Structure formats: C-alpha cells, structure tokens
Amino acid sequence: MLPGLVDVHTHPGMASAEDPFDDTVLRRQLTEHRDAGVLLVRTPGTGARMPDWVDKDEELPRVRSAGRWLATPGRFFPGLGRDVREDELPAAAVEEAAAGWCKVIGDWRWDEPAVPLDLLAETVRAVHTAGGRVAVHCQTAEGSRNAMLAGADSVEHGMHLDRELLDRMAAQGTALVPTLSVFASDAERRYASEPGARRDDWIAGWEAMPGTVRAAYAAGVTVLAGTDSYPCGTVAGESAWLARAGLPPEAALGAASWTARAWLGLPGLTEGAPADLVAYDSDPALDPAALARPSRIILRGRVVA
C-alpha cells in the first residue's frame, strides 16, 4: 500500500497545446489520473484558471494549481497562457500565485535569450513575499541557470542544467521535475530529424539528462515525478524513467508518492492523514511494473476503483 500517487507536472483540461482549455476535458483527464492511482496533481500552468468545482468534487484528485502560464514576449505559444510584458511579470506572478503557485516560462527557443536573471529573481522575491511558490519552465542552459539562481521553488524540465549548481540547488530547496518520459517519447523523432544546431542541442541535452537527474539526487536535490504529456495517468512511467536514470527504487517511488505529497504539503501513511491510498498485489519497490496496476484505489476514505 502506498499513499496516493502524485503527478507534479500535468496539464489536464487541454487535449493538446493547440486546443483551448475545456471543463469536459479537464474532468475526463482528472478521472484518468484518479483511475491510475494518481490522487494528487500539481498543474504548473494551464490555459485558464482552475474552475472552483474541481476542489468541490470528491470523486476527483486533489489539485494544486499554478494558475495560467506566464509568458513574456516571444517565449511561449501565443495566447495559450497569460502574455505579459517583462515589466509586468512580477505583479502578474503574484496574482497567479494566489492559489499557491505560479508558473513562469523562463526560456523558449534554444537560440534565444532566457528571461533575464534579475527580472526572474525579482519575480521570485515578490511571490515569496506574498506567500506563494514559483515553478519555472526551462530547457536551455541559460534558462535553467537563471531559474536556479533566482531561487525558484521548482525547475521544470531542467534540460542543460549545469551540474556544478546542484549543491546550491539542494541547499536552497529548489526541486527538479525533469519530465524524462515526455522527452523520451520525442527522442526517436529528434534523432531522425534533419541534422542541425537545434537538433544537436536537443540531443545533447536529452543525453545528459539521466546523468543530471542522478547527480541531482546524489547532491540532495528533491527529484519529483511529472509527466507533462497525454494521456493523463501515466506517472508510473515517469517513476520508471527516474529509476532508469539511477534513482534507488524507493526514491523513484517516493518521487511519485510520499516525497511529492510532502513537498506539496500533504502527509503520507501517517495517523490522521487524508485516506488517499493505493493498494497493489505486489510491492512496486520490488516489481516496478506493478505501479501501473493498482488493485484498489481509496480517495478521501472512499473506494473509487
């Protein structure tokens, strides 16, 4: 038996990056999470603010929202998140973090500048002063470096993250959410694509990521499981990728369960904790494939599957 599973990087409510946010899709995708034993999700950015009915529906997983993506000019899909000027970013981040989190698009194209470090640091300070937390999307070396040096609470993806910064990352409590499975799903296409600087940069980043994740864990960084992909309910696959990268089996499990729950402010299997539990016929620490095959799912004290 495990505490309810957790996906800390998922975007329910959208069928793809090109589709608008939709309540019907949101309900379906949250149900997909629940039926896979994922009883707590963090949505680091969506196309709209999370509707009030989500928290009131006891049939759905608990949700921690980061509001709408915050994108400065040229750094995201136009119109998909909340587009703001650079000088508007700190105040907008405080507004979006009213529910606890905000998500900043820290970089975008591989050969263009990331959000400047001083601006990102100002944004993080403003949100922390208001009692919120900041997640930063970053895939370039500059973007990953700036997110960490700015004191972000979580680095989302972290491709090209400088390993020399990992000790500082651990000391300040910045978590790493590498989303390995979504990169892995795109790797075959990238390797087969036309040679060029963009392809080579992506491949170099991808090939370094497992080693970076392993080094981050060894340095004491909190490494967490997030999928960033569709269909929803596939966090078991992300846990498997963390184990493949070199995390011990229990750490890879915890990244998708008790470690992630504690990081988001919920207890695990302790007296008085919310009765969000997932049971298995075999121990996922010994049989990792079992994580995708829950035999019983209990949410808020009720058997739901």
Side-chain angles (χ1 to χ4, degrees):
M1 184 172 289
L2 296 179
L5 302 186
V6 186
D7 189 333
V8 301
H9 190 128
T10 179
H11 305 292
M14 304 172 66
S16 73
E18 290 75 33
D19 294 318
F21 186 88
D22 181 86
D23 279 17
T24 301
V25 175
L26 174 63
R27 183 179 295 278
R28 173 172 56 80
Q29 291 176 335
L30 286 175
T31 301
E32 290 173 352
H33 276 304
R34 183 203 67 192
D35 291 348
V38 178
L39 306 183
L40 172 63
V41 302
R42 182 188 62 148
T43 63
T46 58
R49 292 188 178 177
M50 197 61 53
D52 292 341
W53 58 259
V54 171
D55 288 334
K56 298 175 183 177
D57 193 330
E58 296 189 353
E59 297 292 323
L60 297 178
R62 303 174 193 272
V63 176
R64 299 292 182 266
S65 175
R68 293 170 289 178
W69 291 285
L70 288 166
T72 48
R75 294 192 177 103
F76 202 43
F77 302 106
L80 186 58
R82 179 178 174 182
D83 297 319
V84 298
R85 300 190 311 266
E86 288 193 352
D87 64 295
E88 297 174 324
L89 182 60
V94 170
E95 291 175 2
E96 294 299 328
W101 281 88
C102 70
K103 167 76 170 292
V104 176
I105 304 299
D107 59 23
W108 195 235
R109 296 179 179 87
W110 69 277
D111 58 346
E112 295 186 359
V115 173
L117 174 57
D118 59 349
L119 174 60
L120 195 55
E122 179 187 353
T123 300
V124 171
R125 285 195 298 271
V127 173
H128 284 174
T129 298
R133 301 170 81 182
V134 183
V136 179
H137 162 103
C138 46
Q139 295 189 37
T140 68
E142 181 190 17
S144 297
R145 172 183 176 275
N146 287 358
M148 200 287 303
L149 293 179
D153 297 281
S154 68
V155 166
E156 310 296 316
H157 313 301
M159 184 179 266
H160 298 289
L161 179 63
D162 186 346
R163 297 182 193 178
E164 293 187 3
L165 299 175
L166 293 176
D167 287 341
R168 176 169 174 170
M169 191 171 175
Q172 69 188 27
T174 299
L176 175 61
V177 186
T179 65
L180 292 175
S181 52
V182 75
F183 286 109
S185 69
D186 198 33
E188 183 176 354
R189 181 184 70 84
R190 296 281 187 167
Y191 280 106
S193 64
E194 190 73 22
R198 181 178 181 180
R199 169 188 179 274
D200 294 347
D201 183 81
W202 192 95
I203 289 174
W206 162 242
E207 292 182 346
M209 285 189 79
T212 299
V213 169
R214 184 167 58 251
Y217 175 78
V221 173
T222 298
V223 178
L224 301 171
T227 59
D228 192 25
S229 63
Y230 303 103
C232 293
T234 59
V235 79
E238 180 66 18
S239 177
W241 267 103
L242 294 176
R244 193 177 305 176
L247 266 63
E250 288 199 2
L253 276 179
S257 181
W258 59 86
T259 303
R261 290 181 71 85
W263 186 70
L264 288 171
L266 283 176
L269 295 180
T270 60
E271 185 175 355
D276 297 343
L277 311 169
V278 189
Y280 299 89
D281 291 331
S282 58
D283 184 353
L286 303 176
D287 175 18
L291 196 63
R293 303 191 303 268
S295 60
R296 186 73 74 239
I297 299 168
I298 302 171
L299 174 61
R300 298 179 176 90
R302 298 175 57 248
V303 176
V304 295

